[in-house]
Amino acid sequence: MIVKRLARFTIIALEGALASPAVHSRTLKSADVFLPVGVGVGSAPQIQTGRFVPFTLDQIFSVATLDYGVERAGYPFFDVSSLSGPVQIEVKYSEPFDGLNHPFGDGPYCYSNQMGNSFRVETFNVTSKGRLASSLLQGGQKWQSMRLLTNGTISFSNVGYEATIDTIEPEGLPGQFSSDDETLNEIWKLGARAATAACVDKSTQKAIWEVDPVKGVFARSLRPSLSVKATSFANYTLEFDTKIERGGSWWSVAAPISGSAYTMLLTGELPENRRFANTNTTLTPPNTISLGYGVDFVNQTTLASWTLDVFKVPFPVRENTWYRISVSLSPSRYLSVSIGSTQVFNVSMTTYPLATGAFSGSFGFGAYQDQAAYFMNAHVYDTINGSTLYLNNLTNQDVLAEYGTQANIESVCLDGPKRDRLVWLGDFLHTARIIPVSTSRTDQARGTLQFLLDSQLPDGQLNISPNLGYELKSTATAFAPSGSFGLPDYQILGLISFHDHVRSSNDLDWAQSAWPQWQKQIDWLLRRINNSTGLVTLTGRFAFIGAIDGGSAVSCAAVQGLNGAADVATGLGDTQSATRYRTAAASLADAINARLWNDKSGAYGFSLADLEDISVMGTAFCITSGVASSNRTARSLAALSRLRLGPGYKDYTQLSSTDPTVNISPNTNGFLLSALFLGNASARAGELIKSLWSPMLPGTQARNKTAVGTSWEYVNSVTLQPGLSLFTSLSHPWGGAPTYILTEWVAGLRPAIGSKGFGYRRWIVAPETGVQIGLKSASAKVVTAYGGDLSVEWKVQSGKMHVNIRAPTGTDGCFVYGDKVVRLSSKSVYEFSVDIPV
Ligand SMILES: *[C@@H]1O[C@H](CO)[C@@H](O)[C@H](O)[C@H]1NC(C)=O
Ligand SMILES: *[C@@H]1O[C@H](CO)[C@@H](O)[C@H](O)[C@H]1NC(C)=O
Ligand SMILES: *[C@@H]1O[C@H](CO)[C@@H](O)[C@H](O)[C@H]1NC(C)=O
Ligand SMILES: *[C@@H]1O[C@H](CO)[C@@H](O)[C@H](O)[C@H]1NC(C)=O
Ligand SMILES: *[C@@H]1O[C@H](CO)[C@@H](O)[C@H](O)[C@H]1NC(C)=O
Ligand SMILES: *[C@@H]1O[C@H](CO)[C@@H](O)[C@H](O)[C@H]1NC(C)=O
Ligand SMILES: *[C@@H]1O[C@H](CO)[C@@H](O)[C@H](O)[C@H]1NC(C)=O
Ligand SMILES: *[C@@H]1O[C@H](CO)[C@@H](O)[C@H](O)[C@H]1NC(C)=O
Ligand SMILES: *[C@@H]1O[C@H](CO)[C@@H](O)[C@H](O)[C@H]1NC(C)=O
Ligand SMILES: *[C@@H]1O[C@H](CO)[C@@H](O)[C@H](O)[C@H]1NC(C)=O
Ligand SMILES: *[C@@H]1O[C@H](CO)[C@@H](O)[C@H](O)[C@H]1NC(C)=O
């Protein structure tokens, strides 16, 4: 990067202040709905459906399959046009079709409270005609089934979702891409739709608890939601009143905000007239307390849970009756539960070696699938000395924020709409680059980063995965009682996305207001530069992208983060910080080149301690950060053949190439795409896009079962199926890199390097890489921060490229093809042809 002279900074800062970032704020209207495109009625779920028409369920045709075409999200509704009497229907929701054949759909999702239904099966007792609606949203699915569980008949005139995400289709987005390759056009839409589905507007994900001034908190079909005030409590006794409204009552203790806890499910007597016909009494036996460790009482793929024991309650547990529960954790690792004066169990954890968690962490309340319960009068005291730690009768609305169940207070991007539904800091990197070329929702990108900044610890770190439903600003430190969050490299990926957001939007007013917080975060990172090695040493057990101490991926990503931050500093006129960050980046880069380059293998080693192995992330970040010279770029891209596996590249050489469970990550392979194009390996980049992303598109019947119009979280290296079975998020913008890559490297439209390119004030059109992957024509459009769209259209015909560029007059740019450079300024339309080598 070129260091610019002082006078230049002032000018750029001024221009920055004049330009306003492009904001496309569509307000979600209450009338916005998603409707099925197909319905099939039979005795089992069916993948073939016909055009949607009103339908009837009865004993012979008891199952309706609804196909929504692509990923959808919202509050389910059902318009009942007639019914023979009260009937029960079981509704399932799933991203892949096969979820409809499983007892829990593609769920449950109990890792955190989801700010929506924790379950993918929902049962209704339908008693009247008219609209039946669920109060809990379903975050992401293409498929739905409805099964009549009882005798009788029921007819529906309509079903659908009240939308909780923007209803816009990729074709209608302000950012566009198109080319003469139809497969690439469809792949571009995957990330665009995933970012549309994963980014939610303020207040659209409504409160999941109801709070009654007399009866307290009401929860249904929700994993226990936890108090943020109790994250540092240990060896405590929790007492509360609960009243089962239907089925049972559920609570957890010694719980982290997300992850494995001691969890207890009280199932009531399940009276005949209130028991749904699909109730699984093996899983929830009447008059029992099930004790679990994990997030649930069933397993979901990689999310393991253990049912430790099931204890009989020695009396019938009535619905609609208040019981006082006491849960006691003792320093000697006994856990006991009493109902009123009856002790139901008191067990030592030595009996359950699988329950490894310490007796520390928060507590919370919820209700199992199709169950519902009230909670009141919580009292927590130290088990040994009896001193009160917490008192709350749970009758005031402020419990919503305390327990993370309030409507989202910011417009933010989640990792995925179906799960984890958390604002994962590091996962945002690709999303931050997809937004500007597709949805242009600058407000959602800014909201995400601001939400993360609100979670900042005094030492500068941001929460790596905050839940939607808490008030982070006043409680940040409560989420990290140990002083850190895990995955420390996510701080670096978050810093990179801050730069990428400003790069495309010129959002300098906001960047200025957030600058002290970013500087603090950068200072945290600078303190991680190891004085003896000159490389980054993070603390913690592991990093997501590579080795924690002296790793190439982490250190190169840090160079990229620091140089990006220096560009923003330049844009803000903070020359001192710009110099400081650039200087640190340069010496880090020198250290990486001196210590981590393995000349024999021709690649950056995995880490100081392991110079032989290589990784996708190390290779990618060492190139995209500019650490690698062109010689080293070319050589490390050649060394990538060691990682080639199935449809892409496995993350590390240490992973087996013959283990059929190894997954290919569209997230990390997405980092590689930029590196391949930068390293003149366009053809390989084009092949990777096709081989790894085509399996996500519809086509064969097998593919139609898993294609939902969005990019996936993981792809299995052998089967090309979703890599984590039903658990896989099929709508993960972290897997959507081709969306911005196609715009930037195939159509060739991107902001100029450095702060002069912010918001596309200066731009580049460089389509040679698109021609290199075999295209004859392409077009792309983005929204600039300078009052209009910037678009390019090019076509190759008999040795000539015809180019049409439209740009706001306040911007200028260059067309680059090989050594041909055409400067373009002061017009709004540029039309020309150039000779290109065949
Ligand atoms: C459903 O109808 C059948 C046949 O009329 C009857 O034998 C059965 O008892 C009914 N089941 C219920 C739950 O009403
Ligand atoms: C369904 O509603 C009917 C009518 O109110 C009621 O009699 C029946 O007990 C309910 N069934 C369940 C399982 O709640
Ligand atoms: C009922 O729950 C048990 C225990 O979790 C499980 O093994 C069984 O498959 C479930 N049955 C059905 C029909 O879902
Ligand atoms: C979940 O899977 C683990 C092994 O992965 C097993 O030990 C455990 O018993 C399973 N839990 C349930 C509830 O089936
Ligand atoms: C549970 O049993 C242990 C060991 O006997 C005892 O120390 C503890 O006080 C008991 N807890 C309760 C709440 O009774
Ligand atoms: C009781 O234990 C708590 C720790 O849980 C401690 O902070 C407090 O000082 C103790 N109170 C008394 C009165 O010993
Ligand atoms: C709630 O608890 C407070 C004490 O914290 C008590 O004064 C108040 O009466 C309680 N309110 C209700 C409605 O029970
Ligand atoms: C610095 O790096 C060395 C070599 O990797 C490591 O042993 C040491 O613990 C690091 N120092 C700190 C303070 O992280
Ligand atoms: C390196 O040295 C500086 C000042 O001497 C110190 O503040 C910093 O914590 C050290 N870093 C590491 C990783 O040891
Ligand atoms: C890629 O091509 C450009 C332009 O010809 C050249 O400057 C650069 O060194 C090349 N990089 C690599 C890694 O070959
Ligand atoms: C690239 O590296 C190789 C091997 O070290 C060396 O032989 C060659 O001269 C280098 N090429 C350039 C252009 O630096």
Side-chain angles (χ1 to χ4, degrees):
M1 240 148 263
I2 307 145
V3 182
K4 298 165 204 85
R5 269 175 297 131
L6 227 157
R8 194 80 195 110
F9 297 149
T10 346
I11 295 164
I12 288 164
L14 218 136
E15 285 162 351
L18 292 176
S20 56
V23 178
H24 274 253
S25 194
R26 283 169 39 97
T27 331
L28 204 56
K29 291 177 286 296
S30 57
D32 282 342
V33 293
F34 290 119
L35 300 174
V37 295
V39 65
V41 181
S43 56
Q46 57 193 82
I47 190 157
Q48 296 297 349
T49 60
R51 197 171 56 83
F52 182 83
V53 288
F55 61 94
T56 297
L57 299 179
D58 57 27
Q59 270 53 64
I60 297 159
F61 297 100
S62 58
V63 178
T65 306
L66 297 146
D67 180 355
Y68 285 80
V70 289
E71 182 83 355
R72 299 306 198 195
Y75 292 94
F77 69 82
F78 312 87
D79 290 331
V80 179
S81 52
S82 74
L83 80 167
S84 58
V87 299
Q88 294 173 29
I89 54 166
E90 176 192 80
V91 184
K92 283 185 188 169
Y93 309 90
S94 186
E95 276 183 339
F97 173 76
D98 274 343
L100 301 183
N101 295 317
H102 285 74
F104 297 101
D106 63 352
Y109 298 118
C110 293
Y111 178 69
S112 80
N113 76 21
Q114 294 267 112
M115 280 305 290
N117 200 318
S118 299
F119 298 90
R120 300 289 264 174
V121 177
E122 192 172 26
T123 311
F124 297 90
N125 187 31
V126 191
T127 57
S128 60
K129 291 198 291 187
R131 177 160 290 199
L132 177 70
S134 175
S135 64
L136 293 170
L137 68 81
Q138 290 291 341
Q141 52 280 334
K142 174 180 188 276
W143 296 96
Q144 186 180 18
S145 67
M146 296 168 62
R147 183 160 69 99
L148 180 63
L149 296 174
T150 54
N151 283 346
T153 64
I154 181 167
S155 301
F156 297 90
S157 54
N158 215 352
V159 303
Y161 300 101
E162 289 164 22
T164 50
I165 56 171
D166 200 339
T167 54
I168 198 164
E169 302 296 340
E171 294 78 4
L173 290 170
Q176 287 296 320
F177 167 85
S178 154
S179 73
D180 61 318
D181 186 324
E182 206 35 57
T183 303
L184 292 182
N185 299 347
E186 291 307 307
I187 288 173
W188 184 88
K189 293 176 194 166
L190 296 173
R193 197 191 291 283
T196 305
C199 299
V200 299
D201 288 343
K202 184 174 167 172
S203 303
T204 53
Q205 322 292 296
K206 294 183 207 136
I208 51 174
W209 277 1
E210 288 164 33
V211 185
D212 184 285
V214 178
K215 293 185 283 185
V217 159
F218 180 58
R220 60 189 134 194
S221 298
L222 290 171
R223 171 244 206 236
S225 291
L226 306 166
S227 169
V228 72
K229 292 188 175 163
T231 55
S232 60
F233 289 5
N235 298 312
Y236 54 83
T237 297
L238 163 69
E239 293 186 355
F240 59 94
D241 295 322
T242 190
K243 182 171 82 153
I244 297 171
E245 212 245 359
R246 184 191 288 277
S249 170
W250 190 11
W251 63 87
S252 291
V253 294
I257 295 291
S258 304
S260 290
Y262 294 89
T263 191
M264 281 144 272
L265 177 62
L266 170 64
T267 304
E269 61 178 349
L270 302 177
E272 210 52 54
N273 65 334
R274 300 276 302 159
R275 182 190 296 195
F276 286 129
N278 59 349
T279 301
N280 182 341
T281 52
T282 310
L283 182 59
T284 60
N287 303 309
T288 59
I289 296 178
S290 302
L291 170 65
Y293 180 69
V295 301
D296 198 344
F297 302 91
V298 295
N299 278 337
Q300 168 53 279
T301 316
T302 55
L303 204 56
S305 287
W306 295 270
T307 299
L308 303 175
D309 229 325
V310 179
F311 301 96
K312 196 90 195 128
V313 178
F315 53 83
V317 180
R318 309 276 187 213
E319 296 192 349
N320 215 16
T321 303
W322 285 103
Y323 293 97
R324 182 111 188 124
I325 310 289
S326 174
V327 188
S328 179
L329 299 165
S330 81
S332 55
R333 288 187 64 75
Y334 275 83
L335 193 166
S336 76
V337 173
S338 298
I339 305 179
S341 55
T342 307
Q343 189 168 81
V344 181
F345 64 87
N346 180 13
V347 291
S348 166
M349 285 305 122
T350 55
T351 322
Y352 310 105
L354 293 169
T356 49
F359 274 2
S360 63
S362 190
F363 61 86
F365 309 107
Y368 210 67
Q369 179 187 309
D370 294 322
Q371 301 192 344
Y374 284 93
F375 299 89
M376 268 188 84
N377 300 322
H379 178 206
V380 180
Y381 54 88
D382 184 275
T383 300
I384 297 298
N385 69 23
S387 70
T388 291
L389 299 167
Y390 180 87
L391 256 184
N392 190 335
N393 40 31
L394 307 176
T395 52
N396 193 312
Q397 293 294 328
D398 57 19
V399 298
L400 295 178
E402 180 190 334
Y403 285 82
T405 56
Q406 72 176 350
N408 62 314
I409 56 172
E410 186 67 86
S411 297
V412 295
C413 298
L414 304 168
D415 59 334
K418 124 170 152 172
R419 64 144 272 270
D420 302 320
R421 295 183 55 78
L422 297 173
V423 188
W424 277 101
L425 174 64
D427 298 25
F428 186 58
L429 202 154
H430 290 301
T431 318
R433 296 192 65 175
I434 294 169
I435 287 172
V437 303
S438 60
T439 67
S440 203
R441 289 295 303 268
T442 302
D443 59 326
Q444 291 176 338
R446 180 196 304 137
T448 304
L449 294 167
Q450 185 59 55
F451 191 69
L452 291 161
L453 285 178
D454 286 347
S455 74
Q456 188 169 36
L457 298 181
D459 76 352
Q461 291 184 80
L462 315 183
N463 193 327
I464 60 163
S465 58
N467 297 54
L468 271 183
Y470 291 99
E471 180 81 63
L472 299 174
K473 229 174 190 156
S474 51
T475 55
T477 53
F479 290 93
S482 65
S484 70
F485 293 106
L487 300 188
D489 56 325
Y490 266 34
Q491 304 299 327
I492 301 168
L493 303 187
L495 180 61
I496 294 174
S497 54
F498 165 57
H499 162 264
D500 291 348
H501 164 64
V502 176
R503 168 188 185 249
S504 60
S505 65
N506 195 45
D507 197 359
L508 287 174
D509 285 346
W510 171 77
Q512 182 70 62
S513 70
W515 191 232
Q517 285 173 286
W518 286 112
Q519 287 181 293
K520 198 160 146 189
Q521 201 236 17
I522 297 164
D523 284 340
W524 173 89
L525 173 58
L526 292 175
R527 287 196 300 276
R528 307 271 99 64
I529 297 175
N530 187 316
N531 292 328
S532 61
T533 63
L535 304 169
V536 176
T537 300
L538 299 171
T539 46
R541 274 186 301 150
F542 57 91
F544 185 80
I545 59 171
I548 202 145
D549 177 26
S552 55
V554 167
S555 293
C556 285
V559 171
Q560 187 166 328
L562 290 168
N563 279 326
D567 280 353
V568 178
T570 301
L572 293 173
D574 180 354
T575 55
Q576 210 179 343
S577 298
T579 306
R580 186 161 163 254
Y581 301 156
R582 238 180 262 294
T583 306
S587 45
L588 191 49
D590 287 346
I592 295 163
N593 276 317
R595 291 172 177 267
L596 291 174
W597 177 255
N598 180 338
D599 203 57
K600 208 158 97 249
S601 67
Y604 291 94
F606 183 69
S607 71
L608 264 187
D610 177 5
L611 284 173
E612 293 308 315
D613 283 303
I614 62 167
S615 71
V616 162
M617 296 74 86
T619 305
F621 280 112
C622 289
I623 293 170
T624 57
S625 61
V627 166
S629 64
S630 53
N631 192 326
R632 287 187 174 182
T633 296
R635 293 186 67 200
S636 36
L637 290 179
L640 271 180
S641 57
R642 293 170 64 193
L643 296 168
R644 193 80 180 82
L645 182 64
Y649 297 85
K650 61 181 183 179
D651 280 355
Y652 311 102
T653 35
Q654 297 98 313
L655 287 170
S656 160
S657 287
T658 53
D659 175 353
T661 67
V662 168
N663 288 327
I664 304 300
S665 165
N667 176 38
T668 61
N669 279 250
F671 298 137
L672 210 47
L673 291 176
S674 300
L676 288 166
F677 278 116
L678 277 166
N680 302 333
S682 306
R684 282 170 76 193
E687 284 155 22
L688 177 57
I689 294 175
K690 289 264 179 83
S691 61
L692 184 51
W693 277 271
S694 296
M696 303 176 200
L697 297 174
T700 61
Q701 199 184 76
R703 278 197 185 175
N704 293 347
K705 288 183 172 181
T706 49
V708 303
T710 42
S711 49
W712 299 354
E713 187 182 18
Y714 285 104
V715 178
N716 180 268
S717 58
V718 177
T719 63
L720 311 189
Q721 288 285 301
L724 305 175
S725 176
L726 292 176
F727 189 66
T728 320
S729 171
L730 298 184
S731 181
H732 239 51
W734 89 346
T739 300
Y740 66 83
I741 291 293
L742 289 170
T743 296
E744 295 191 359
W745 288 98
V746 174
L749 178 61
R750 45 189 193 263
I753 287 169
S755 58
K756 64 184 185 301
F758 285 179
Y760 298 92
R761 193 184 70 73
R762 187 163 293 169
W763 36 264
I764 296 169
V765 173
E768 188 177 14
T769 40
V771 175
Q772 284 164 353
I773 71 165
L775 295 190
K776 291 273 173 283
S777 69
S779 67
K781 177 161 76 83
V782 296
V783 180
T784 72
Y786 290 85
D789 293 347
L790 167 64
S791 65
V792 59
E793 247 184 278
W794 54 260
K795 198 161 58 202
V796 176
Q797 241 166 10
S798 39
K800 272 188 184 313
M801 175 176 274
H802 306 284
V803 186
N804 181 309
I805 297 169
R806 285 161 197 271
T809 40
T811 69
D812 56 74
C814 308
F815 173 87
V816 182
Y817 199 106
D819 4 335
K820 213 166 299 190
V821 177
V822 186
R823 298 202 180 281
L824 304 163
S825 68
S826 68
K827 288 200 221 162
S828 57
V829 183
Y830 307 94
E831 237 180 319
F832 55 90
S833 299
V834 290
D835 292 326
I836 59 165
V838 193

